[in-house]
Amino acid sequence: MSLKITDDCIACGACEPVCPNQAISLEAHVYVIDPARCNECFDLYSEPQCYVVCPTTCIVPDPEHRETLEELLWKKNGLHPEGWDR
Ligand code: SF4
């Protein structure tokens, strides 16, 4: 399941640089998550990195983009075909 950023976003920008998938961008004064790139940081980090650094509670699961762990892994492998190295 992709995460999403709600209207409570204060546009601090903390989340954008920590996303390993370049899934976060600024649009019309708030940050948004591209569900095609977000894989919940599965198999990359132990927790979603945007959620960890967000100073508010505006990053939540997106029920419109539910995925199995297999799908999250497939997405990660597609985004990091050379492997993942922090
Ligand atoms: Fe990026 Fe991970 Fe946040 Fe998804 S959960 S937007 S992959 S930092």
Side-chain angles (χ1 to χ4, degrees):
M1 184 184 313
S2 170
L3 301 190
K4 69 175 184 178
I5 298 174
T6 71
D7 292 343
D8 292 333
C9 176
I10 60 172
C12 70
C15 58
E16 184 181 16
V18 300
C19 176
N21 295 345
Q22 289 82 48
I24 302 174
S25 60
L26 184 62
E27 287 184 16
H29 311 298
V30 292
Y31 283 87
V32 296
I33 294 175
D34 178 355
R37 299 188 69 88
C38 175
N39 82 326
E40 300 179 41
C41 293
F42 180 69
D43 203 40
L44 297 168
Y45 291 99
S46 59
E47 294 179 275
Q49 295 300 286
C50 57
Y51 178 83
V52 169
V53 300
C54 181
T56 75
T57 54
C58 74
I59 299 178
V60 297
D62 182 354
E64 293 184 14
H65 293 96
R66 295 181 187 278
E67 292 160 297
T68 66
L69 293 182
E70 273 187 355
E71 289 170 323
L72 295 176
L73 184 61
W74 179 84
K75 191 187 292 185
K76 171 249 175 180
N77 288 337
L79 291 167
H80 303 280
E82 308 293 326
W84 169 246
D85 183 17
R86 294 179 199 179

